[in-house]
Amino acid sequence: MNNEIKPPLWILLELTHKCPLECAYCYNQLDFANTKDVMSKEDWFRVMEQARDMGAVQLGISGGEPLLNKDVVEIVRKANDLKFYTNLITSGVGAPKGVVAKLKEAGLKTVQLGIQSHDKNTMTLITNNKSAYDEKIAFAKEIKEAGLQLIVNTCITRQNIHQVGEIIEFAESLGANYLEIANIQYYGWALKNVNALLPSQEQITKAREVTKYYREQRKDMKVFFVVPDYFATRPKACMNGWGTTFLTINPDGVALPCNTANTLPLTFPNVKEFSIKEIWNESKAFNYFRGDSWMQEPCRTCDEKEKDFGGCRCQAFALTGDMNATDPVCIKSPNHGVINKKIEDSMIFSEDKIIHRNRLNSLTFM
Protein backbone atom coordinates (compact mmCIF):
# COMPACT_ATOMS: atom_id res chain seq x y z
CA MET A 1 0.00 0.00 0.00
CA ASN A 2 1.07 3.58 -0.70
CA ASN A 3 2.41 5.15 2.50
CA GLU A 4 2.68 8.66 1.04
CA ILE A 5 0.94 11.16 3.34
CA LYS A 6 -1.38 13.38 1.37
CA PRO A 7 -2.90 16.52 2.91
CA PRO A 8 -6.42 16.50 4.36
CA LEU A 9 -9.18 17.58 1.98
CA TRP A 10 -12.24 17.64 4.23
CA ILE A 11 -12.30 19.28 7.68
CA LEU A 12 -15.11 18.87 10.19
CA LEU A 13 -15.41 21.39 13.02
CA GLU A 14 -17.49 19.99 15.88
CA LEU A 15 -18.26 23.31 17.53
CA THR A 16 -20.04 21.77 20.52
CA HIS A 17 -21.43 18.46 21.72
CA LYS A 18 -24.41 20.20 23.28
CA CYS A 19 -27.67 19.38 21.52
CA PRO A 20 -31.40 19.92 22.11
CA LEU A 21 -32.11 16.42 20.82
CA GLU A 22 -31.47 13.10 22.55
CA CYS A 23 -31.27 10.90 19.44
CA ALA A 24 -31.03 7.21 20.20
CA TYR A 25 -28.52 6.70 17.36
CA CYS A 26 -26.15 9.59 18.13
CA TYR A 27 -22.59 8.65 17.09
CA ASN A 28 -21.02 10.70 19.89
CA GLN A 29 -19.32 8.60 22.54
CA LEU A 30 -21.32 7.66 25.63
CA ASP A 31 -19.36 10.09 27.79
CA PHE A 32 -19.85 12.98 25.36
CA ALA A 33 -20.69 15.32 28.24
CA ASN A 34 -17.05 15.13 29.33
CA THR A 35 -16.03 16.92 26.11
CA LYS A 36 -16.01 20.61 27.03
CA ASP A 37 -16.31 23.59 24.70
CA VAL A 38 -12.84 25.06 25.14
CA MET A 39 -12.13 26.24 21.59
CA SER A 40 -12.36 30.00 21.18
CA LYS A 41 -13.31 31.73 17.94
CA GLU A 42 -9.64 32.49 17.39
CA ASP A 43 -8.74 28.82 17.89
CA TRP A 44 -11.20 27.80 15.17
CA PHE A 45 -9.84 30.52 12.88
CA ARG A 46 -6.29 29.25 13.35
CA VAL A 47 -7.35 25.66 12.60
CA MET A 48 -9.07 26.73 9.38
CA GLU A 49 -6.11 28.82 8.24
CA GLN A 50 -3.65 26.00 8.85
CA ALA A 51 -5.84 23.38 7.16
CA ARG A 52 -6.41 25.64 4.15
CA ASP A 53 -2.67 26.24 3.84
CA MET A 54 -2.25 22.46 3.61
CA GLY A 55 -4.80 22.23 0.79
CA ALA A 56 -8.11 21.42 2.50
CA VAL A 57 -11.11 22.59 0.44
CA GLN A 58 -14.27 21.28 2.14
CA LEU A 59 -15.39 22.46 5.56
CA GLY A 60 -18.18 20.86 7.58
CA ILE A 61 -19.60 22.62 10.63
CA SER A 62 -21.23 20.21 13.02
CA GLY A 63 -21.78 19.18 16.65
CA GLY A 64 -23.86 18.32 18.70
CA GLU A 65 -25.82 21.29 17.45
CA PRO A 66 -23.41 23.84 15.92
CA LEU A 67 -26.00 26.63 15.97
CA LEU A 68 -25.65 26.70 19.75
CA ASN A 69 -22.17 28.18 19.28
CA LYS A 70 -22.48 31.98 19.44
CA ASP A 71 -19.61 32.41 16.95
CA VAL A 72 -21.00 30.18 14.20
CA VAL A 73 -21.75 33.05 11.78
CA GLU A 74 -18.25 34.51 12.16
CA ILE A 75 -16.72 31.05 11.73
CA VAL A 76 -18.64 30.61 8.46
CA ARG A 77 -17.55 34.07 7.30
CA LYS A 78 -13.92 33.25 8.03
CA ALA A 79 -14.23 29.95 6.17
CA ASN A 80 -15.72 31.72 3.19
CA ASP A 81 -12.91 34.30 3.22
CA LEU A 82 -10.46 31.38 3.11
CA LYS A 83 -12.32 29.97 0.05
CA PHE A 84 -13.64 26.85 1.77
CA TYR A 85 -16.81 25.23 0.47
CA THR A 86 -18.92 25.28 3.64
CA ASN A 87 -21.58 22.80 4.76
CA LEU A 88 -23.64 23.20 7.94
CA ILE A 89 -24.77 19.90 9.51
CA THR A 90 -27.64 20.71 11.85
CA SER A 91 -30.78 19.51 13.59
CA GLY A 92 -32.44 22.86 12.95
CA VAL A 93 -33.76 22.80 16.51
CA GLY A 94 -33.09 25.66 18.90
CA ALA A 95 -31.65 27.84 16.13
CA PRO A 96 -31.47 31.58 16.87
CA LYS A 97 -34.10 33.53 14.96
CA GLY A 98 -32.85 34.84 11.62
CA VAL A 99 -29.59 32.89 11.74
CA VAL A 100 -30.08 31.29 8.31
CA ALA A 101 -30.08 34.64 6.50
CA LYS A 102 -26.98 35.67 8.45
CA LEU A 103 -25.23 32.41 7.52
CA LYS A 104 -26.12 32.88 3.85
CA GLU A 105 -24.73 36.42 3.93
CA ALA A 106 -21.56 35.07 5.59
CA GLY A 107 -21.02 32.68 2.68
CA LEU A 108 -22.59 29.36 3.72
CA LYS A 109 -23.22 27.13 0.69
CA THR A 110 -25.13 24.07 1.88
CA VAL A 111 -27.24 22.96 4.83
CA GLN A 112 -27.62 19.30 5.78
CA LEU A 113 -30.75 19.01 7.92
CA GLY A 114 -31.55 15.91 9.93
CA ILE A 115 -35.18 14.81 9.47
CA GLN A 116 -36.05 11.59 11.31
CA SER A 117 -39.55 11.11 9.91
CA HIS A 118 -42.51 12.69 8.14
CA ASP A 119 -44.52 11.74 11.22
CA LYS A 120 -44.39 13.90 14.34
CA ASN A 121 -44.88 11.02 16.79
CA THR A 122 -42.07 8.98 15.24
CA MET A 123 -39.71 11.94 15.28
CA THR A 124 -40.53 12.59 18.94
CA LEU A 125 -39.87 8.93 19.77
CA ILE A 126 -36.44 8.97 18.14
CA THR A 127 -35.27 12.42 19.29
CA ASN A 128 -37.08 12.68 22.64
CA ASN A 129 -37.98 16.28 21.74
CA LYS A 130 -41.63 17.27 21.28
CA SER A 131 -40.91 20.53 19.46
CA ALA A 132 -38.42 19.07 16.95
CA TYR A 133 -40.94 18.37 14.19
CA ASP A 134 -42.35 21.90 13.94
CA GLU A 135 -38.96 23.55 14.37
CA LYS A 136 -37.40 21.46 11.61
CA ILE A 137 -40.15 22.32 9.13
CA ALA A 138 -39.79 26.03 9.92
CA PHE A 139 -36.00 25.80 9.60
CA ALA A 140 -36.23 24.04 6.23
CA LYS A 141 -38.48 26.85 5.01
CA GLU A 142 -35.87 29.42 6.09
CA ILE A 143 -33.17 27.52 4.21
CA LYS A 144 -35.13 27.57 0.97
CA GLU A 145 -36.15 31.21 1.38
CA ALA A 146 -32.48 32.09 1.78
CA GLY A 147 -31.67 30.31 -1.48
CA LEU A 148 -29.37 27.75 0.11
CA GLN A 149 -28.99 24.17 -1.08
CA LEU A 150 -30.88 21.79 1.22
CA ILE A 151 -29.71 18.25 1.91
CA VAL A 152 -32.08 16.19 4.04
CA ASN A 153 -30.48 13.36 5.97
CA THR A 154 -32.77 10.70 7.39
CA CYS A 155 -31.20 8.15 9.70
CA ILE A 156 -33.12 4.91 9.24
CA THR A 157 -33.96 2.62 12.14
CA ARG A 158 -36.58 -0.01 12.92
CA GLN A 159 -38.84 2.84 14.06
CA ASN A 160 -39.06 4.58 10.69
CA ILE A 161 -37.87 2.17 7.99
CA HIS A 162 -41.45 1.35 7.00
CA GLN A 163 -41.99 5.07 6.29
CA VAL A 164 -39.37 5.44 3.56
CA GLY A 165 -41.87 6.31 0.81
CA GLU A 166 -43.59 8.96 2.92
CA ILE A 167 -40.21 10.37 4.03
CA ILE A 168 -39.15 10.79 0.39
CA GLU A 169 -42.36 12.66 -0.39
CA PHE A 170 -41.94 14.77 2.75
CA ALA A 171 -38.36 15.74 1.85
CA GLU A 172 -39.55 16.71 -1.61
CA SER A 173 -42.30 18.87 -0.12
CA LEU A 174 -39.63 20.71 1.89
CA GLY A 175 -37.76 21.52 -1.31
CA ALA A 176 -34.77 19.26 -0.67
CA ASN A 177 -32.16 19.09 -3.40
CA TYR A 178 -30.80 15.81 -2.04
CA LEU A 179 -32.13 13.16 0.32
CA GLU A 180 -29.81 10.70 2.00
CA ILE A 181 -31.62 7.70 3.47
CA ALA A 182 -28.86 6.55 5.76
CA ASN A 183 -29.27 3.26 7.57
CA ILE A 184 -27.37 4.10 10.74
CA GLN A 185 -23.94 2.77 11.52
CA TYR A 186 -23.67 1.25 14.98
CA TYR A 187 -21.29 3.32 17.08
CA GLY A 188 -21.74 5.16 20.38
CA TRP A 189 -25.38 5.45 21.36
CA ALA A 190 -26.53 3.48 18.32
CA LEU A 191 -24.49 0.49 19.47
CA LYS A 192 -25.93 0.91 22.96
CA ASN A 193 -29.41 0.75 21.37
CA VAL A 194 -28.69 -1.80 18.64
CA ASN A 195 -31.37 -4.26 19.77
CA ALA A 196 -34.03 -1.55 19.64
CA LEU A 197 -32.85 0.06 16.38
CA LEU A 198 -31.53 -2.56 13.96
CA PRO A 199 -34.01 -3.40 11.17
CA SER A 200 -34.27 -6.88 9.69
CA GLN A 201 -32.80 -7.86 6.33
CA GLU A 202 -36.34 -8.11 4.96
CA GLN A 203 -37.13 -4.55 6.06
CA ILE A 204 -33.96 -3.21 4.45
CA THR A 205 -34.66 -5.06 1.19
CA LYS A 206 -38.19 -3.63 1.07
CA ALA A 207 -36.94 -0.11 1.85
CA ARG A 208 -34.42 -0.33 -0.99
CA GLU A 209 -37.17 -1.38 -3.39
CA VAL A 210 -39.36 1.52 -2.30
CA THR A 211 -36.44 3.93 -2.62
CA LYS A 212 -35.65 2.67 -6.11
CA TYR A 213 -39.25 3.19 -7.18
CA TYR A 214 -39.40 6.74 -5.84
CA ARG A 215 -35.94 7.59 -7.16
CA GLU A 216 -37.08 6.76 -10.68
CA GLN A 217 -40.00 9.18 -10.31
CA ARG A 218 -37.91 12.10 -9.04
CA LYS A 219 -35.99 14.32 -11.43
CA ASP A 220 -35.17 17.33 -9.25
CA MET A 221 -34.39 15.67 -5.91
CA LYS A 222 -31.62 13.08 -5.85
CA VAL A 223 -32.16 10.18 -3.43
CA PHE A 224 -29.36 8.07 -1.96
CA PHE A 225 -29.70 4.89 0.09
CA VAL A 226 -26.91 3.81 2.46
CA VAL A 227 -26.97 0.18 3.63
CA PRO A 228 -25.97 -0.56 7.25
CA ASP A 229 -22.63 -2.30 7.72
CA TYR A 230 -24.11 -5.29 9.52
CA PHE A 231 -25.79 -6.60 6.39
CA ALA A 232 -22.76 -6.20 4.13
CA THR A 233 -20.18 -8.90 3.34
CA ARG A 234 -17.28 -6.48 2.88
CA PRO A 235 -16.37 -3.51 5.08
CA LYS A 236 -16.54 0.06 3.86
CA ALA A 237 -13.37 2.01 3.17
CA CYS A 238 -13.86 3.92 6.39
CA MET A 239 -13.16 7.66 5.94
CA ASN A 240 -11.48 6.77 2.64
CA GLY A 241 -8.63 5.31 4.69
CA TRP A 242 -7.25 6.39 8.08
CA GLY A 243 -5.54 9.77 7.93
CA THR A 244 -5.90 10.20 4.18
CA THR A 245 -8.78 12.61 3.61
CA PHE A 246 -10.77 13.61 6.70
CA LEU A 247 -9.85 15.61 9.79
CA THR A 248 -12.24 16.24 12.68
CA ILE A 249 -11.68 18.73 15.48
CA ASN A 250 -13.63 18.18 18.70
CA PRO A 251 -15.01 20.99 20.92
CA ASP A 252 -12.08 20.42 23.27
CA GLY A 253 -9.55 20.83 20.46
CA VAL A 254 -8.71 17.15 20.04
CA ALA A 255 -7.92 16.26 16.43
CA LEU A 256 -9.28 12.98 15.06
CA PRO A 257 -9.07 11.11 11.74
CA CYS A 258 -12.78 10.25 12.12
CA ASN A 259 -15.68 11.28 14.34
CA THR A 260 -15.49 8.27 16.66
CA ALA A 261 -11.72 7.66 16.75
CA ASN A 262 -11.51 8.86 20.35
CA THR A 263 -13.22 5.62 21.39
CA LEU A 264 -9.93 3.85 20.56
CA PRO A 265 -7.08 3.29 23.04
CA LEU A 266 -4.93 5.92 21.35
CA THR A 267 -3.86 9.36 22.52
CA PHE A 268 -4.87 12.01 20.00
CA PRO A 269 -3.16 15.41 19.72
CA ASN A 270 -4.80 18.73 20.51
CA VAL A 271 -4.78 21.74 18.18
CA LYS A 272 -4.04 23.98 21.15
CA GLU A 273 -0.67 22.27 21.48
CA PHE A 274 0.29 21.36 17.90
CA SER A 275 -0.24 22.75 14.41
CA ILE A 276 -2.50 20.95 11.95
CA LYS A 277 0.57 20.11 9.87
CA GLU A 278 2.35 18.53 12.85
CA ILE A 279 -0.78 16.60 13.82
CA TRP A 280 -1.48 15.32 10.33
CA ASN A 281 2.06 14.42 9.32
CA GLU A 282 3.89 13.55 12.52
CA SER A 283 1.54 12.42 15.29
CA LYS A 284 1.67 8.78 16.32
CA ALA A 285 -2.13 8.48 16.35
CA PHE A 286 -2.62 9.75 12.80
CA ASN A 287 0.13 7.49 11.50
CA TYR A 288 -0.95 4.41 13.44
CA PHE A 289 -3.21 2.88 10.77
CA ARG A 290 -1.61 4.35 7.68
CA GLY A 291 -0.24 1.73 5.32
CA ASP A 292 -0.67 -1.98 6.08
CA SER A 293 2.06 -2.85 8.61
CA TRP A 294 -0.54 -2.90 11.42
CA MET A 295 -2.80 -5.37 9.62
CA GLN A 296 -3.50 -8.88 10.82
CA GLU A 297 -4.53 -11.75 8.60
CA PRO A 298 -6.59 -12.09 6.52
CA CYS A 299 -6.23 -8.36 5.76
CA ARG A 300 -2.48 -8.27 5.25
CA THR A 301 -2.53 -10.63 2.26
CA CYS A 302 -6.04 -9.80 1.03
CA ASP A 303 -6.30 -8.58 -2.55
CA GLU A 304 -9.00 -6.10 -1.48
CA LYS A 305 -6.99 -4.25 1.17
CA GLU A 306 -6.34 -1.40 -1.25
CA LYS A 307 -10.13 -0.93 -1.46
CA ASP A 308 -11.29 -1.20 2.14
CA PHE A 309 -8.04 -0.66 4.12
CA GLY A 310 -9.11 -3.34 6.60
CA GLY A 311 -12.42 -1.65 7.31
CA CYS A 312 -13.40 0.46 10.31
CA ARG A 313 -11.01 0.52 13.29
CA CYS A 314 -13.66 1.86 15.68
CA GLN A 315 -16.07 -0.90 14.74
CA ALA A 316 -13.38 -3.55 15.07
CA PHE A 317 -12.51 -2.30 18.55
CA ALA A 318 -16.12 -1.91 19.68
CA LEU A 319 -17.04 -5.45 18.67
CA THR A 320 -13.82 -7.40 19.34
CA GLY A 321 -11.81 -5.33 21.83
CA ASP A 322 -8.90 -5.29 19.35
CA MET A 323 -8.49 -2.17 17.23
CA ASN A 324 -6.08 -3.99 14.89
CA ALA A 325 -8.55 -6.76 14.09
CA THR A 326 -10.21 -7.19 10.72
CA ASP A 327 -13.53 -5.35 10.69
CA PRO A 328 -16.04 -8.08 11.74
CA VAL A 329 -18.37 -6.93 8.94
CA CYS A 330 -16.04 -8.67 6.47
CA ILE A 331 -17.15 -12.21 5.76
CA LYS A 332 -13.46 -13.19 5.72
CA SER A 333 -12.98 -11.99 9.30
CA PRO A 334 -12.50 -14.67 11.98
CA ASN A 335 -14.81 -12.47 14.07
CA HIS A 336 -17.64 -12.29 11.53
CA GLY A 337 -19.79 -14.35 13.88
CA VAL A 338 -19.98 -11.32 16.19
CA ILE A 339 -22.03 -9.52 13.55
CA ASN A 340 -24.31 -12.48 13.04
CA LYS A 341 -24.87 -12.64 16.79
CA LYS A 342 -25.73 -8.93 16.91
CA ILE A 343 -28.33 -9.45 14.18
CA GLU A 344 -29.79 -12.51 15.91
CA ASP A 345 -29.95 -10.76 19.28
CA SER A 346 -31.63 -7.70 17.79
CA MET A 347 -34.43 -9.92 16.50
CA ILE A 348 -34.78 -11.74 19.84
CA PHE A 349 -34.63 -8.59 21.97
CA SER A 350 -36.43 -6.35 19.49
CA GLU A 351 -38.72 -4.95 22.17
CA ASP A 352 -35.82 -3.38 24.10
CA LYS A 353 -36.62 0.19 25.06
CA ILE A 354 -34.66 3.04 23.52
CA ILE A 355 -32.12 4.72 25.80
CA HIS A 356 -31.82 8.37 24.82
CA ARG A 357 -28.34 9.79 25.06
CA ASN A 358 -28.93 12.46 27.72
CA ARG A 359 -31.01 10.15 29.85
CA LEU A 360 -28.21 7.62 30.29
CA ASN A 361 -25.71 10.43 30.65
CA SER A 362 -27.65 11.94 33.56
CA LEU A 363 -27.62 8.58 35.31
CA THR A 364 -23.94 7.91 34.76
CA PHE A 365 -22.02 11.16 34.86
CA MET A 366 -23.66 13.38 37.49
Side-chain angles (χ1 to χ4, degrees), residues 123-167:
M123 187 180 292
T124 301
L125 171 64
I126 295 173
T127 66
N128 206 30
N129 186 305
K130 294 180 179 179
S131 68
Y133 184 84
D134 294 331
E135 289 195 51
K136 286 175 182 288
I137 292 175
F139 194 77
K141 184 178 180 181
E142 282 191 56
I143 294 168
K144 296 308 294 184
E145 288 176 347
L148 288 166
Q149 181 172 249
L150 172 61
I151 301 171
V152 169
N153 177 274
T154 298
C155 291
I156 294 296
T157 69
R158 186 181 297 145
Q159 288 69 33
N160 63 4
I161 193 168
H162 59 288
Q163 302 172 345
V164 165
E166 292 93 336
I167 290 170

Side-chain angles (χ1 to χ4, degrees), residues 27 34 56 58 165 206 224 248 321:
Y27 68 76
N34 291 338
Q58 297 267 1
K206 176 64 176 176
F224 303 92
T248 294

Side-chain angles (χ1 to χ4, degrees), residues 120-262:
K120 186 172 185 176
N121 290 333
T122 304
M123 187 180 292
T124 301
L125 171 64
I126 295 173
T127 66
N128 206 30
N129 186 305
K130 294 180 179 179
S131 68
Y133 184 84
D134 294 331
E135 289 195 51
K136 286 175 182 288
I137 292 175
F139 194 77
K141 184 178 180 181
E142 282 191 56
I143 294 168
K144 296 308 294 184
E145 288 176 347
L148 288 166
Q149 181 172 249
L150 172 61
I151 301 171
V152 169
N153 177 274
T154 298
C155 291
I156 294 296
T157 69
R158 186 181 297 145
Q159 288 69 33
N160 63 4
I161 193 168
H162 59 288
Q163 302 172 345
V164 165
E166 292 93 336
I167 290 170
I168 293 173
E169 292 181 344
F170 184 58
E172 189 172 53
S173 75
L174 295 175
N177 302 95
Y178 297 88
L179 169 63
E180 182 180 57
I181 299 172
N183 282 272
I184 60 174
Q185 312 302 320
Y186 289 89
Y187 306 98
W189 295 82
L191 185 58
K192 185 76 177 177
N193 282 305
V194 62
N195 289 342
L197 300 180
L198 185 66
S200 67
Q201 178 68 74
E202 292 73 22
Q203 288 174 313
I204 293 168
T205 299
K206 176 64 176 176
R208 291 185 76 172
E209 292 172 353
V210 171
T211 302
K212 181 180 179 182
Y213 169 77
Y214 276 88
R215 184 188 291 130
E216 291 171 350
Q217 312 305 313
R218 266 74 187 160
K219 304 301 180 185
D220 296 329
M221 183 180 74
K222 295 183 179 180
V223 183
F224 303 92
F225 188 92
V226 180
V227 178
D229 285 2
Y230 284 18
F231 292 100
T233 58
R234 291 289 187 274
K236 62 181 179 290
C238 190
M239 309 308 288
N240 200 41
W242 181 276
T244 65
T245 308
F246 296 92
L247 172 64
T248 294
I249 311 298
N250 262 5
D252 57 5
V254 173
L256 303 167
C258 81
N259 308 65
T260 58
N262 54 354

